[in-house]
Amino acid sequence: MAGFCFLDKEIMTESVKYLLDESRMPKSWYNLVADLPTPPPPVLHPGTLQPIGPDDLAPLFPRSLIQQEVSTEREIEIPEPVRDIYRQWRPTPLYRARRLEKALGTPARIYYKYEGVSPAGSHKPNTAVAQAFYNREAGIKRIATETGAGQWGSSLAFAGALFGIEVQVFMVRVSYQQKPYRRALMETYGARCVASPSEETACGRAILAQRPDHPGSLGIAISEAVEVAAQRDDTKYALGSVLNHVLLHQTVVGLESMAQLEMAGDYPDVIVACTGGGSNFAGIAFPFIGAQLRGGQRVRIVAIEPAACPTLTRGPYAYDFGDTAHLTPLTKMHTLGSTFTPPGFHAGGLRYHGMAPLVSHVKELGLIEARAYHQLSCFEAGVLFARVEGILPAPEANHAVKGAIDEALRCKEEGISRAILFNLCGHGHFDMQAYMDYFAGKLTDQSYDEAELAMALSGLPSVTAA
Amino acid sequence: MAGFCFLDKEIMTESVKYLLDESRMPKSWYNLVADLPTPPPPVLHPGTLQPIGPDDLAPLFPRSLIQQEVSTEREIEIPEPVRDIYRQWRPTPLYRARRLEKALGTPARIYYKYEGVSPAGSHKPNTAVAQAFYNREAGIKRIATETGAGQWGSSLAFAGALFGIEVQVFMVRVSYQQKPYRRALMETYGARCVASPSEETACGRAILAQRPDHPGSLGIAISEAVEVAAQRDDTKYALGSVLNHVLLHQTVVGLESMAQLEMAGDYPDVIVACTGGGSNFAGIAFPFIGAQLRGGQRVRIVAIEPAACPTLTRGPYAYDFGDTAHLTPLTKMHTLGSTFTPPGFHAGGLRYHGMAPLVSHVKELGLIEARAYHQLSCFEAGVLFARVEGILPAPEANHAVKGAIDEALRCKEEGISRAILFNLCGHGHFDMQAYMDYFAGKLTDQSYDEAELAMALSGLPSVTAA
């Protein structure tokens, strides 16, 4: 297949990217909680089932991040040293996907924000840099974390190198083996990367004792990192998604997009975002949800998740643990159960059993929709995208590409020109095995195991408080 | 090693990148030939040893590119459809490497242009898009080409997809085997990639008959692609470096850098560029050489090449073939001999036996210096760069990084603040095996074989004409 040919006069003289000057980079993150009609349910202590206080989180996070976790302020200032690092790749470009529109023959106006220009290749450094900064301010020497596909681990490794903080990454074993180059990237940044479950923690050893060839999961890797962080005063834990402060840091994506769409003289009718733990989704969507809640234009917002790990579309809204070993507090969220292990599909960043409490809450408030896709159609969309737009998306981002294409095709059917915005949250340069498997016909539309899901859900903690 | 920590007030409020608006993208390429005191020696027909004419090249290239190959016009307009595609990633950013300066403790002002933001990840699409465009204008359906590390092959695959041209890539066998993900990228763009030497050409079959496990070389892969192109009317050949028109297309890099340095209120004292075939070197350096020749400020220009393939520093300036099977015309250039096979070091893009005739000519004119580095010190420089600047350079680009660092350290010794400019011509996301080998201590400072070099040089054609 040789590709597409659709360069004509019509599209030649118009901008394809909207760039903001460094001086227009957001000075504050946006906190959606300030604009919500009802606050999200409290986080509970797993022993007492009472709302936790800042002290309960102090072993894991520096105070400044705990304050952000519970803040109800609308705007939280981005510290100058963080902005100074953001400056290297931010503001990121917003593209008008003119060649994709042409290939689809759609009247839709498709825009995509591109976070793959960050050094680590995804949106994750937006929070990694902030977290490393606050930890350094608190005198922390070491951060332990988990990673699935490796986007988060390499981002924190990058941030740690800049702030002189040692980073230890527990990488889900199956990814550790499948993605040696992601590991190499982390090591290039100076981080130490360990396959999880590992012999380095009590919880890792317990799991390996039961099943020496355990492929690992994000829930287990989180348990290991939390265990390491809880043991040492100079060591904290960092999470790449799910938590309020992480979602907060990602809002630079949506804030910049707003300014860039203004440059383009446009405003989105639909926002499409892939969601695993929720940070990419929140980053692009929350500023627009907030604007709507403050009386602004209504935007349809569609969360796209993998059919093999369908947290929002199949998981009940319930209190659950964030990790497998039950070391974390209980949060109310859409969850498949903390012991749920999704099949090994290729979007490792979307394989988390739960959904960010704040994303789950806005779903309950009816502010967003959710849709699940199987992976084959997502890769098909990603390959089309690469051939017309040039950028090769990460498997996670392919879910958003597929969602945007479906919305654009709907515009075509209905003969309506809508503005569609999505975040191309990362490139797929470290995910080429997935593309090779796709071309070789080795990928299938794996679904989760219904019995496994039922089992995991039956283990949900029974919470009567709150 | 946890990294560096050097974020202080001093560097926090200053720009780290200089971005040009799309409207300021160059409208013309710059042709150095117009400003040279003497023209480069003619290209000779290997049979008659007489200068070749446009008709001799017609089986391989469309007329428009042949015209550019011999043009003496200073400015050659960039066609609007080419600019329209450039627009997706051009103008590329120019960075001030403030964190690297700090890490080195140098008074030097280090700037780097970053071409890794292109869809294929290097500077190569600058010419790939132009070549695909001119071929499409000429009604060509198919382009055959060679690739070493894969940067060029994936760039032409990308360009072919956009213009609806079928692309067949002969990839040096050793790289084909070592870099399956580069191959996957080409296939994602819809190109067909074949290991060279292959059974698909007479010259490939002849080489395999002698040595079935031949690792391939750029010279052989060029022979195969040229053979395929010469056989069919609807098929042409494309080269990713060496030729005048390829160097011409790359001058957008230097032209943009000039405008961006003006934004920064600076001008380079030294330009450092890695060079294999010469297109990266020419892209960043030629516009500055031209400005100097027209009476502008003098700039020291340093070409960096690998010690294992030291064309400029060890190769005589002589007429030679561009390929191993001797299907190309003869060009006068610094060459190690067309049968020279360099050892398998990790900067595949720098493993060509010759140097662009135009780069060789400016070397003879005393307008540039050349220096050769072994690979270990280049990887060391690249890892330092990744840890402080965040971007992971391609092994080829590490040569420029090392050169720039050495110049910056010289500034420190001498206590002089000079402006140093280099082109970070590509990222290393598809070269992680090289970094893994480096960390594992598997890399050595391989030199070329002296006997092999002597043998290759003894085979230089004897040319008495011109």
Side-chain angles (χ1 to χ4, degrees), chain B residues 46-318:
Chain B
T48 63
L49 296 189
Q50 293 303 306
I52 60 166
D55 287 347
D56 294 307
L57 294 172
L60 296 185
F61 304 107
R63 290 274 163 186
S64 44
L65 288 175
I66 297 172
Q67 277 162 15
Q68 291 183 359
E69 188 64 21
V70 299
S71 171
T72 55
E73 293 294 311
R74 181 174 290 124
E75 296 192 347
I76 294 175
E77 195 184 340
I78 307 175
E80 200 49 49
V82 172
R83 295 185 78 235
D84 196 59
I85 307 225
Y86 277 0
R87 230 184 282 271
Q88 188 170 8
W89 71 94
R90 305 213 69 86
T92 58
L94 178 83
Y95 286 102
R96 171 86 183 263
R98 295 187 190 274
R99 295 195 295 262
L100 178 61
E101 292 168 15
K102 192 87 182 169
L104 298 173
T106 177
R109 308 180 305 282
I110 307 175
Y111 297 92
Y112 60 99
K113 182 78 168 162
Y114 183 41
E115 290 290 305
V117 295
S118 82
S122 78
H123 64 297
K124 294 291 187 190
N126 296 329
T127 185
V129 169
Q131 292 190 52
F133 166 75
Y134 288 116
N135 274 285
R136 204 228 11 205
E137 290 292 287
I140 296 307
K141 303 285 180 233
R142 203 162 67 130
I143 300 178
T145 196
E146 75 292 329
T147 200
Q151 295 275 21
W152 166 243
S154 48
S155 299
L156 192 67
F158 155 65
L162 294 179
F163 286 101
I165 291 177
E166 221 179 287
V167 173
Q168 178 173 6
V169 182
F170 290 92
M171 186 170 187
V172 176
R173 182 175 299 272
V174 59
S175 294
Y176 183 91
Q177 286 161 345
Q178 282 175 351
K179 305 199 172 194
Y181 295 163
R182 263 287 169 204
R183 230 195 312 154
L185 181 60
M186 292 181 236
E187 287 165 2
T188 303
Y189 288 138
R192 196 162 79 81
C193 184
V194 179
S196 166
S198 78
E199 295 287 348
E200 302 200 7
T201 65
C203 103
R205 286 189 294 273
I207 290 166
L208 287 174
Q210 286 200 315
R211 186 178 162 191
D213 66 340
H214 198 293
S217 73
L218 272 173
I220 294 170
I222 293 174
S223 296
E224 292 207 274
V226 165
E227 183 182 324
V228 164
Q231 279 165 356
R232 285 175 54 162
D233 279 350
D234 66 350
T235 303
K236 296 284 182 194
Y237 169 68
L239 189 62
S241 190
V242 179
L243 298 179
N244 296 350
H245 68 269
V246 181
L247 274 50
L248 173 79
H249 300 154
Q250 292 297 352
T251 57
V252 287
V253 176
L255 292 169
E256 286 177 8
S257 299
M258 267 186 178
Q260 289 165 309
L261 282 168
E262 201 179 316
M263 286 170 75
D266 217 334
Y267 199 83
D269 298 296
V270 190
I271 295 174
V272 174
C274 66
T275 182
S279 79
N280 167 66
F281 177 85
I284 187 91
F286 278 9
F288 289 92
I289 297 178
Q292 177 181 325
L293 289 170
R294 294 193 305 278
Q297 194 173 322
R298 177 160 159 68
V299 187
R300 257 186 72 222
I301 297 185
V302 186
I304 311 282
E305 60 183 11
C309 191
T311 321
L312 280 173
T313 53
R314 284 297 314 274
Y317 184 52

Side-chain angles (χ1 to χ4, degrees), chain A residues 186-421:
Chain A
M186 292 183 236
E187 286 165 3
T188 304
Y189 288 139
R192 196 162 78 82
C193 183
V194 179
S196 165
S198 78
E199 294 287 348
E200 303 200 5
T201 65
C203 102
R205 286 189 294 273
I207 290 167
L208 287 174
Q210 285 200 317
R211 186 179 163 190
D213 66 340
H214 199 294
S217 74
L218 272 174
I220 293 169
I222 293 174
S223 296
E224 292 206 273
V226 165
E227 185 183 323
V228 163
Q231 280 166 355
R232 286 175 54 161
D233 279 351
D234 66 350
T235 303
K236 296 285 181 195
Y237 169 68
L239 189 63
S241 190
V242 179
L243 299 178
N244 296 350
H245 68 268
V246 180
L247 275 50
L248 173 79
H249 299 154
Q250 292 297 351
T251 56
V252 286
V253 177
L255 292 169
E256 286 178 7
S257 300
M258 266 186 177
Q260 288 163 311
L261 282 167
E262 202 179 315
M263 284 170 75
D266 216 333
Y267 199 84
D269 298 296
V270 190
I271 295 174
V272 174
C274 66
T275 183
S279 79
N280 166 65
F281 177 85
I284 187 91
F286 278 10
F288 290 92
I289 297 178
Q292 176 181 325
L293 288 170
R294 293 192 306 277
Q297 193 173 322
R298 177 159 162 67
V299 187
R300 256 186 74 223
I301 296 185
V302 186
I304 310 282
E305 59 183 13
C309 191
T311 323
L312 280 172
T313 54
R314 283 298 313 273
Y317 184 54
Y319 272 100
D320 198 4
F321 291 96
D323 72 323
T324 306
H326 296 179
L327 303 177
T328 68
L330 292 169
T331 52
K332 195 161 185 185
M333 60 182 177
H334 283 277
T335 178
L336 301 170
S338 64
T339 61
F340 177 78
T341 303
F345 62 100
H346 264 301
L350 307 181
R351 295 178 76 245
Y352 187 59
H353 71 273
M355 180 54 60
L358 212 43
V359 174
S360 299
H361 184 58
V362 298
K363 173 78 166 49
E364 288 311 293
L365 291 174
L367 295 167
I368 66 169
E369 305 165 24
R371 199 185 294 163
Y373 286 124
H374 279 293
Q375 69 178 355
L376 282 179
S377 64
C378 296
F379 274 99
E380 188 187 355
V383 170
L384 169 64
F385 188 85
R387 288 183 186 177
V388 298
E389 293 290 316
I391 301 169
L392 184 101
E396 292 81 4
N398 281 343
H399 289 73
V401 173
K402 165 72 177 156
I405 288 176
D406 279 1
E407 289 295 328
L409 292 176
R410 195 174 135 187
C411 289
K412 185 180 178 179
E413 272 172 34
E414 297 174 359
I416 299 173
S417 171
R418 295 192 192 94
I420 301 166
L421 170 66

Side-chain angles (χ1 to χ4, degrees), chain B residues 112 162 231 264 275-276 279 307 312 323 335 361 375 380-381 392 439:
Chain B
Y112 60 99
L162 294 179
Q231 279 165 356
T275 182
S279 79
L312 280 173
D323 73 324
T335 178
H361 184 59
Q375 70 176 354
E380 187 187 357
L392 184 100
F439 286 121

Side-chain angles (χ1 to χ4, degrees), chain B residues 437-453:
Chain B
D437 290 351
Y438 171 70
F439 286 121
K442 287 185 193 164
L443 295 194
T444 58
D445 276 341
Q446 282 174 292
S447 278
Y448 57 91
D449 187 281
E450 286 285 357
E452 152 113 33
L453 175 60

